[in-house]
Amino acid sequence: MKNLIAGLSNGFAEVWAHKLRSLLTMTCVFLGVASLVAVMGLLEGLVTSWETWFAEFGGLEKVSIVAEDSVDDQRQILFSTITMQDVESVRRLCRDAAFISPEIYTEALTAHHGKFFKVPVQGVSRDALTVSKYALSQGRFITDADSLGYENVAVLGSAAVDALYERNEKVVGSTVYIKGQPFYVVGVLKRYVLMQEGLNVLNEKNQIVFIPLATMQKKVLGKPELSSLNVKVRQVGALSRVKTQLTNLLWQNHRGKRGYKLDTAEAMMETMHKSRRSYFAVGGGVAAVSLLVGGLGIMNLMLASINERVREIGIRKALGAWGWDIFVQFIAEAITLSLLGGLAGAVFGVGLIKYLQTAMADSSPPILSPNAVIVGFSISVAIGVLSGLYPAVRASKLDPIEALRYE
């Protein structure tokens, strides 16, 4: 330990004695660690943004049965739409279904005090709030009582509020007209914002108006067929079992006829994981090359240092220094160079992440990853050890008599 401390002290002295050469050598390690911290931070920010977007649209726990349109008379014979009978079957027989949300979609003109806004209108039940992960900023959501009474009530997304209402105008308790029918506004959804490349990728969740499912069926569209049936499973581990149960239930209910498709986010999730692995491999590779160059620079510097200090080594050995003492001295000097470069790179990388978090506030801001800082710094130390091994071994094996004769 004493030898190591003395070696580190000598290492700092050598760095100070050869400032420019040491600075150039440490720069490679500095760039490697800084790039590792910055690249990993940028990738973490991008991946987190993807995962947030993915979760906001239901995540892996959501299974959707989506109605398909019949395109010709021949297909109509084998065509069967989703109905409330399917909803009751799923509710009764699918034990792993935590929430069930039957939905009907339509595009409708919504009006309020002379202002108009064409917006997707969804007839839903109370479970839609949980299944599709919406949250309220004001008022309440659709209830079972609203559907049982065919009530003309509506919950507005923030885009509809912006288009139809003045700033600070009271929304909850007001009346909007959907396809010419008056609807009493009982709630307002929170505003969803997730910026990527200057675009709000969650704006689709703002472009919505919810009304009771039964009201949509009886008063607005006048037909019972559903557009989709969304199911939220109790846990992701039950997803495969739920898919099998839903497939069998629908096959029995529709007697083999197909007018629907079963959608899950598994394929999208797998694509996201593959992209994440690829991005991290590329980013880590760039940083690894920089660190490798830094290691070669340290090795080159240490070999040059040995040639300059051959007589010094010979004198030390003649005075009783062991080969181990020489080895520790040179390995400590190599570690010193990598430590200084790694520390400077880690500090710079953290500062760069902090700056980019402000500069990229409207995109996918990077996330400071403590693991990236720790890994980068640890690799820099390891690079110092590995790059210093050969020069240290070579220095420790110098013959003292030959070293003293060296000029």
Side-chain angles (χ1 to χ4, degrees), residues 257-389:
K257 294 183 178 181
R258 295 298 298 268
Y260 55 85
K261 62 179 179 178
L262 201 66
D263 283 342
T264 67
E266 288 178 294
M268 185 181 296
M269 190 68 170
E270 180 60 27
T271 300
M272 287 172 56
H273 283 318
K274 287 181 179 178
S275 299
R276 178 176 185 167
R277 289 192 292 267
S278 299
Y279 288 152
F280 275 91
V282 172
V286 171
V289 169
S290 298
L291 288 169
L292 178 61
V293 172
L296 294 174
I298 292 174
M299 182 179 292
N300 183 61
L301 177 62
M302 297 308 300
L303 289 172
S305 179
I306 291 172
N307 290 332
E308 293 174 357
R309 298 159 65 186
V310 170
R311 287 183 63 82
E312 174 195 330
I313 296 169
I315 292 171
R316 288 194 63 191
K317 282 198 168 186
L319 293 175
W322 293 89
W324 173 253
D325 298 321
I326 305 300
F327 175 84
V328 170
Q329 177 185 344
F330 277 86
I331 202 75
E333 290 179 16
I335 292 174
T336 301
L337 288 168
S338 62
L339 274 175
L340 292 175
L343 182 61
V347 171
F348 181 82
V350 171
L352 182 61
I353 291 292
K354 294 292 185 183
Y355 167 75
L356 292 176
Q357 285 176 339
T358 302
M360 299 175 63
D362 291 337
S363 186
S364 301
I367 295 175
L368 179 60
S369 172
N371 288 337
V373 177
I374 294 170
V375 169
F377 188 71
S378 300
I379 290 177
S380 72
V381 175
I383 288 290
V385 174
L386 294 174
S387 59
L389 277 175

Side-chain angles (χ1 to χ4, degrees), residues 5-21:
I5 294 173
L8 289 172
S9 177
N10 290 334
F12 280 107
E14 283 297 315
V15 169
W16 187 254
H18 304 90
K19 301 180 184 65
L20 181 60
R21 186 173 69 180

Side-chain angles (χ1 to χ4, degrees), residues 65-68 82 102-106 221 224-229:
I65 304 165
V66 183
E68 295 180 315
I82 309 169
E103 299 177 3
I104 301 178
Y105 311 106
T106 188
L221 294 183
E225 293 84 2
L226 301 176
S227 301
S228 69
L229 171 55

